[in-house]
Amino acid sequence: MQRILIVEDEKEMANGLKDILEFEGYEVVTAENGKEGLQAISRKEPDCIILDLMLPDLSGYEVCEQIRRKLTTPILMLTARSQDHDKIRGFKVGADDYLTKPFSVGELLARVMALLRRHTKYSPEADLVRVGSSIVDVQHFTVRRGRREHSMSHYEAELFKLLYSHANQPVTRDEILDRVWGTDKFPTNRTVDNFIVKLRKKIEDDYRNPKHILTIYGVGYKLSP
Ligand code: CA
């Protein structure tokens, strides 16, 4: 069951959202202010966070910033009509989407479902990860596509895991070098590019026309499962 955290001080709004989401089969946790929200995030590990911008202690921006220092959990920010011009700031601090109050139940559910769908949380316990038509077994370092099975090297698997843990978000070449190769080795950006090609050959249907391991020009790479 997917768990959703609602951070909202207005009781009526919070309870209304909770009822709607529970009715749809989600598990719902609520928090009345920013600090409680941050605590609930580390204790309950929600799959999606609905965060009101106006909170009694920290602002929604501050909460969002603090979450983004550690986690990629999708955040749907709620704003009032008068705060519409602040949406850009919301995106800058890491919100994934926003909804302006008042909103319809249908719109809320559609946004939440889209966020949950887009965000695939990598967990090291998950053995099999589906990317397009490939199934990656991160425990046994293999990729299966149709009847073919490829094995992955240690660095290929580590690179895949890093990209997958940031699914749908760009990861810079520097971060890849740092996290996959570490500081004691001296690979170059070219090394990263070569390993990306190796992964694409195993995972993509057509590695020259990748659909899942995407180049973000001037930045790095992004995995879109
Ligand atoms: Ca509020």
Side-chain angles (χ1 to χ4, degrees):
M1 197 193 269
Q2 288 179 300
R3 189 176 296 148
I4 297 172
L5 169 68
I6 301 168
V7 188
E8 163 69 285
D9 57 312
E10 290 158 62
K11 280 242 164 64
E12 239 172 80
M13 174 63 96
N15 289 335
L17 288 174
K18 185 171 190 274
D19 287 348
I20 292 161
L21 292 163
E22 280 179 347
F23 185 77
E24 292 298 319
Y26 297 105
E27 188 188 331
V28 179
V29 180
T30 56
E32 287 181 15
N33 57 54
K35 278 190 188 129
E36 242 182 57
L38 290 167
Q39 281 166 4
I41 289 162
S42 46
R43 273 205 321 269
K44 303 280 185 175
E45 299 183 354
D47 301 291
C48 180
I49 300 160
I50 298 176
L51 176 62
D52 188 46
L53 183 58
M54 295 291 279
L55 295 168
D57 53 348
L58 304 164
S59 79
Y61 300 128
E62 289 170 297
V63 177
C64 201
E65 259 175 335
Q66 291 202 33
I67 297 169
R68 279 292 171 265
R69 280 184 211 147
K70 290 186 204 152
L71 297 166
T72 60
T73 314
I75 299 172
L76 173 64
M77 226 182 222
L78 303 181
T79 64
R81 180 78 58 198
S82 59
Q83 300 155 343
D84 252 15
H85 60 281
D86 289 341
K87 271 172 201 162
I88 297 184
R89 188 169 164 208
F91 284 122
K92 273 190 185 155
V93 293
D96 298 277
D97 201 357
Y98 64 85
L99 255 185
T100 305
K101 294 175 180 174
F103 45 80
S104 73
V105 171
E107 199 179 0
L108 171 89
L109 290 174
R111 303 280 176 114
V112 167
M113 278 159 66
L115 286 177
L116 286 167
R117 223 177 15 246
R118 284 208 310 257
H119 185 86
T120 334
K121 195 163 55 172
Y122 171 74
S123 93
E125 296 84 40
D127 290 338
L128 301 177
V129 173
R130 179 177 279 281
V131 178
S133 57
S134 296
I135 297 185
V136 182
D137 184 336
V138 288
Q139 297 293 312
H140 299 97
F141 288 27
T142 57
V143 181
R144 207 169 70 235
R145 185 154 46 87
R147 290 182 179 174
R148 295 193 161 204
E149 189 171 292
H150 300 279
S151 55
M152 288 189 288
S153 70
H154 166 76
Y155 287 124
E156 286 166 20
E158 289 302 311
L159 174 57
F160 177 81
K161 283 199 252 181
L162 176 64
L163 292 174
Y164 191 64
S165 67
H166 294 77
N168 297 313
Q169 295 173 11
V171 183
T172 65
R173 284 194 179 79
D174 283 346
E175 194 176 347
I176 293 172
L177 283 173
D178 193 42
R179 301 274 298 274
V180 175
W181 277 272
T183 46
D184 50 333
K185 303 241 168 49
F186 297 95
T188 62
N189 280 343
R190 181 63 70 80
T191 314
V192 175
D193 298 344
N194 288 343
F195 272 85
I196 288 285
V197 172
K198 287 182 189 184
L199 269 187
R200 278 178 179 155
K201 283 184 177 168
K202 291 170 186 176
I203 291 172
E204 299 278 356
D205 289 331
D206 174 7
Y207 78 94
R208 290 184 198 85
N209 183 23
K211 299 269 192 296
H212 305 287
I213 302 172
L214 307 171
T215 303
I216 310 296
Y217 289 97
V219 180
Y221 295 98
K222 178 173 94 168
L223 179 72
S224 164

